[in-house]
Short mmCIF file of all heavy atoms in Angstrom, two decimals:
data_model
loop_
_atom_site.label_atom_id
_atom_site.label_comp_id
_atom_site.label_asym_id
_atom_site.label_seq_id
_atom_site.Cartn_x
_atom_site.Cartn_y
_atom_site.Cartn_z
N GLY A 240 -70.20 -37.96 123.57
CA GLY A 240 -71.01 -38.92 124.33
C GLY A 240 -70.35 -39.52 125.54
O GLY A 240 -71.01 -40.05 126.42
N GLY A 241 -69.02 -39.46 125.62
CA GLY A 241 -68.34 -40.11 126.74
C GLY A 241 -67.31 -39.23 127.40
O GLY A 241 -66.19 -39.66 127.69
N ALA A 242 -67.68 -37.99 127.66
CA ALA A 242 -66.72 -37.02 128.20
C ALA A 242 -66.40 -37.32 129.66
O ALA A 242 -67.24 -37.76 130.43
CB ALA A 242 -67.29 -35.61 128.08
N SER A 243 -65.16 -37.03 130.04
CA SER A 243 -64.71 -37.16 131.42
C SER A 243 -64.95 -35.84 132.16
O SER A 243 -65.29 -34.82 131.55
CB SER A 243 -63.23 -37.50 131.46
OG SER A 243 -62.47 -36.42 130.90
N ARG A 244 -64.75 -35.87 133.48
CA ARG A 244 -64.87 -34.65 134.27
C ARG A 244 -63.88 -33.60 133.77
O ARG A 244 -64.20 -32.42 133.68
CB ARG A 244 -64.61 -34.96 135.74
CG ARG A 244 -64.44 -33.72 136.60
CD ARG A 244 -64.24 -34.06 138.06
NE ARG A 244 -63.76 -32.90 138.81
CZ ARG A 244 -63.73 -32.82 140.12
NH1 ARG A 244 -64.15 -33.83 140.85
NH2 ARG A 244 -63.28 -31.73 140.72
N GLU A 245 -62.66 -34.02 133.43
CA GLU A 245 -61.64 -33.09 132.95
C GLU A 245 -62.06 -32.44 131.64
O GLU A 245 -61.84 -31.24 131.42
CB GLU A 245 -60.31 -33.81 132.77
CG GLU A 245 -59.64 -34.27 134.06
CD GLU A 245 -60.34 -35.45 134.71
OE1 GLU A 245 -61.04 -36.21 133.99
OE2 GLU A 245 -60.20 -35.62 135.94
N LYS A 246 -62.69 -33.22 130.78
CA LYS A 246 -63.13 -32.70 129.48
C LYS A 246 -64.25 -31.67 129.66
O LYS A 246 -64.26 -30.63 129.01
CB LYS A 246 -63.60 -33.87 128.61
CG LYS A 246 -63.84 -33.53 127.15
CD LYS A 246 -64.12 -34.81 126.37
CE LYS A 246 -64.36 -34.52 124.90
NZ LYS A 246 -64.61 -35.77 124.14
N VAL A 247 -65.16 -31.98 130.55
CA VAL A 247 -66.26 -31.06 130.83
C VAL A 247 -65.73 -29.76 131.44
O VAL A 247 -66.16 -28.66 131.09
CB VAL A 247 -67.29 -31.72 131.76
CG1 VAL A 247 -68.32 -30.71 132.23
CG2 VAL A 247 -67.97 -32.88 131.06
N THR A 248 -64.77 -29.89 132.35
CA THR A 248 -64.17 -28.72 132.97
C THR A 248 -63.51 -27.84 131.93
O THR A 248 -63.66 -26.61 131.94
CB THR A 248 -63.15 -29.13 134.04
OG1 THR A 248 -63.78 -29.97 135.01
CG2 THR A 248 -62.56 -27.92 134.75
N ALA A 249 -62.76 -28.47 131.01
CA ALA A 249 -62.10 -27.73 129.94
C ALA A 249 -63.12 -27.01 129.06
O ALA A 249 -62.94 -25.84 128.69
CB ALA A 249 -61.25 -28.66 129.10
N ALA A 250 -64.22 -27.68 128.75
CA ALA A 250 -65.26 -27.08 127.92
C ALA A 250 -65.86 -25.85 128.59
O ALA A 250 -66.07 -24.81 127.96
CB ALA A 250 -66.36 -28.11 127.63
N PHE A 251 -66.10 -25.97 129.88
CA PHE A 251 -66.69 -24.87 130.64
C PHE A 251 -65.76 -23.66 130.63
O PHE A 251 -66.18 -22.52 130.45
CB PHE A 251 -66.95 -25.35 132.07
CG PHE A 251 -68.06 -24.63 132.75
CD1 PHE A 251 -69.39 -24.93 132.46
CD2 PHE A 251 -67.81 -23.66 133.69
CE1 PHE A 251 -70.42 -24.27 133.10
CE2 PHE A 251 -68.83 -22.99 134.34
CZ PHE A 251 -70.14 -23.30 134.04
N LYS A 252 -64.48 -23.90 130.82
CA LYS A 252 -63.50 -22.82 130.85
C LYS A 252 -63.37 -22.13 129.49
O LYS A 252 -63.23 -20.90 129.41
CB LYS A 252 -62.15 -23.35 131.31
CG LYS A 252 -62.11 -23.73 132.78
CD LYS A 252 -60.72 -24.23 133.17
CE LYS A 252 -60.66 -24.56 134.67
NZ LYS A 252 -59.32 -25.06 135.06
N ILE A 253 -63.45 -22.92 128.42
CA ILE A 253 -63.35 -22.35 127.07
C ILE A 253 -64.53 -21.42 126.81
O ILE A 253 -64.38 -20.32 126.26
CB ILE A 253 -63.30 -23.48 126.02
CG1 ILE A 253 -61.93 -24.19 126.08
CG2 ILE A 253 -63.54 -22.93 124.61
CD1 ILE A 253 -61.86 -25.46 125.27
N ILE A 254 -65.73 -21.82 127.23
CA ILE A 254 -66.90 -20.97 127.05
C ILE A 254 -66.71 -19.65 127.78
O ILE A 254 -66.98 -18.56 127.25
CB ILE A 254 -68.17 -21.68 127.58
CG1 ILE A 254 -68.53 -22.87 126.69
CG2 ILE A 254 -69.34 -20.71 127.66
CD1 ILE A 254 -69.66 -23.72 127.24
N LEU A 255 -66.21 -19.72 129.01
CA LEU A 255 -66.09 -18.52 129.84
C LEU A 255 -64.96 -17.60 129.42
O LEU A 255 -64.90 -16.45 129.86
CB LEU A 255 -65.91 -18.93 131.31
CG LEU A 255 -67.17 -19.50 131.97
CD1 LEU A 255 -66.86 -20.10 133.31
CD2 LEU A 255 -68.24 -18.41 132.11
N LYS A 256 -64.06 -18.08 128.57
CA LYS A 256 -63.00 -17.21 128.06
C LYS A 256 -63.52 -16.20 127.06
O LYS A 256 -62.86 -15.21 126.77
CB LYS A 256 -61.88 -18.05 127.42
CG LYS A 256 -60.98 -18.76 128.42
CD LYS A 256 -59.89 -19.53 127.72
CE LYS A 256 -58.98 -20.24 128.73
NZ LYS A 256 -57.92 -21.03 128.06
N ASP A 257 -64.71 -16.45 126.53
CA ASP A 257 -65.31 -15.52 125.58
C ASP A 257 -65.92 -14.35 126.35
O ASP A 257 -66.89 -14.53 127.09
CB ASP A 257 -66.39 -16.24 124.76
CG ASP A 257 -67.03 -15.36 123.71
OD1 ASP A 257 -66.71 -14.15 123.67
OD2 ASP A 257 -67.86 -15.87 122.94
N PRO A 258 -65.40 -13.13 126.19
CA PRO A 258 -65.91 -12.00 126.96
C PRO A 258 -67.35 -11.64 126.62
O PRO A 258 -68.01 -10.91 127.38
CB PRO A 258 -64.95 -10.86 126.59
CG PRO A 258 -64.36 -11.26 125.27
CD PRO A 258 -64.28 -12.75 125.32
N ALA A 259 -67.86 -12.13 125.49
CA ALA A 259 -69.23 -11.82 125.10
C ALA A 259 -70.25 -12.65 125.87
O ALA A 259 -71.44 -12.32 125.87
CB ALA A 259 -69.41 -12.05 123.60
N VAL A 260 -69.81 -13.73 126.51
CA VAL A 260 -70.73 -14.62 127.21
C VAL A 260 -71.28 -13.95 128.47
O VAL A 260 -70.52 -13.58 129.36
CB VAL A 260 -70.04 -15.95 127.57
CG1 VAL A 260 -70.92 -16.78 128.50
CG2 VAL A 260 -69.74 -16.75 126.30
N GLU A 261 -72.60 -13.82 128.53
CA GLU A 261 -73.27 -13.21 129.68
C GLU A 261 -74.11 -14.21 130.46
O GLU A 261 -74.72 -13.87 131.48
CB GLU A 261 -74.16 -12.05 129.20
CG GLU A 261 -73.37 -10.93 128.52
CD GLU A 261 -74.27 -9.85 127.96
OE1 GLU A 261 -75.51 -9.99 128.07
OE2 GLU A 261 -73.74 -8.87 127.40
N GLY A 262 -74.14 -15.43 130.00
CA GLY A 262 -74.88 -16.50 130.68
C GLY A 262 -74.56 -17.82 130.00
O GLY A 262 -74.12 -17.83 128.85
N ILE A 263 -74.77 -18.92 130.73
CA ILE A 263 -74.43 -20.24 130.18
C ILE A 263 -75.61 -21.18 130.37
O ILE A 263 -76.22 -21.24 131.45
CB ILE A 263 -73.19 -20.83 130.87
CG1 ILE A 263 -71.98 -19.92 130.66
CG2 ILE A 263 -72.89 -22.24 130.34
CD1 ILE A 263 -70.74 -20.37 131.42
N LEU A 264 -75.92 -21.92 129.31
CA LEU A 264 -76.93 -22.97 129.36
C LEU A 264 -76.25 -24.32 129.12
O LEU A 264 -75.63 -24.52 128.06
CB LEU A 264 -78.01 -22.73 128.31
CG LEU A 264 -79.05 -23.85 128.12
CD1 LEU A 264 -79.74 -24.18 129.44
CD2 LEU A 264 -80.07 -23.48 127.06
N VAL A 265 -76.36 -25.21 130.09
CA VAL A 265 -75.85 -26.57 129.95
C VAL A 265 -77.04 -27.49 129.74
O VAL A 265 -77.98 -27.50 130.56
CB VAL A 265 -75.05 -27.00 131.20
CG1 VAL A 265 -74.58 -28.45 131.05
CG2 VAL A 265 -73.85 -26.09 131.40
N ASN A 266 -77.03 -28.24 128.66
CA ASN A 266 -78.14 -29.12 128.32
C ASN A 266 -77.60 -30.52 128.04
O ASN A 266 -76.98 -30.75 126.99
CB ASN A 266 -78.89 -28.57 127.09
CG ASN A 266 -80.08 -29.42 126.73
OD1 ASN A 266 -80.66 -30.10 127.58
ND2 ASN A 266 -80.46 -29.41 125.46
N ILE A 267 -77.79 -31.42 128.99
CA ILE A 267 -77.21 -32.76 128.88
C ILE A 267 -78.30 -33.82 128.93
O ILE A 267 -79.14 -33.83 129.84
CB ILE A 267 -76.20 -33.03 130.02
CG1 ILE A 267 -75.05 -32.02 129.95
CG2 ILE A 267 -75.68 -34.45 129.94
CD1 ILE A 267 -74.21 -32.10 128.69
N PHE A 268 -78.28 -34.71 127.93
CA PHE A 268 -79.14 -35.88 127.96
C PHE A 268 -78.22 -37.08 128.16
O PHE A 268 -77.47 -37.46 127.27
CB PHE A 268 -79.94 -36.03 126.67
CG PHE A 268 -80.96 -37.13 126.74
CD1 PHE A 268 -82.22 -36.89 127.26
CD2 PHE A 268 -80.66 -38.40 126.30
CE1 PHE A 268 -83.16 -37.90 127.34
CE2 PHE A 268 -81.59 -39.42 126.37
CZ PHE A 268 -82.84 -39.18 126.89
N GLY A 269 -78.25 -37.65 129.35
CA GLY A 269 -77.31 -38.70 129.71
C GLY A 269 -77.68 -40.05 129.15
O GLY A 269 -78.73 -40.60 129.46
N GLY A 270 -76.80 -40.57 128.32
CA GLY A 270 -76.90 -41.95 127.85
C GLY A 270 -75.62 -42.63 128.30
O GLY A 270 -75.48 -43.05 129.45
N ILE A 271 -74.64 -42.68 127.40
CA ILE A 271 -73.30 -43.09 127.80
C ILE A 271 -72.74 -42.05 128.76
O ILE A 271 -72.10 -42.37 129.76
CB ILE A 271 -72.39 -43.23 126.56
CG1 ILE A 271 -72.93 -44.29 125.61
CG2 ILE A 271 -70.96 -43.55 126.98
CD1 ILE A 271 -72.21 -44.37 124.30
N MET A 272 -72.99 -40.78 128.44
CA MET A 272 -72.59 -39.68 129.32
C MET A 272 -73.45 -39.70 130.58
O MET A 272 -74.66 -39.75 130.51
CB MET A 272 -72.78 -38.36 128.59
CG MET A 272 -72.67 -37.13 129.47
SD MET A 272 -71.02 -36.88 130.06
CE MET A 272 -70.25 -36.30 128.56
N LYS A 273 -72.80 -39.68 131.73
CA LYS A 273 -73.52 -39.72 133.00
C LYS A 273 -73.70 -38.30 133.54
O LYS A 273 -72.77 -37.50 133.55
CB LYS A 273 -72.77 -40.60 134.01
CG LYS A 273 -72.69 -42.07 133.60
CD LYS A 273 -71.93 -42.86 134.64
CE LYS A 273 -71.93 -44.35 134.31
NZ LYS A 273 -71.29 -44.64 133.02
#
């Protein structure tokens, strides 16, 4: 709920390290998270 830019960047990179990933869906409902 309260991720920083650095945390989001790390999450994105972890997803892309998976060679099986052929597309990415980001779904964010901002409350505390902006």
Side-chain angles (χ1 to χ4, degrees):
S243 64
R244 169 177 166 167
E245 291 72 24
K246 191 172 180 179
V247 171
T248 303
F251 207 78
K252 289 181 178 179
I253 289 169
I254 291 173
L255 288 170
K256 284 182 180 179
D257 182 355
V260 170
E261 298 175 358
I263 299 175
L264 172 56
V265 177
N266 182 26
I267 299 297
F268 187 86
I271 299 173
M272 168 69 74
K273 295 179 175 61

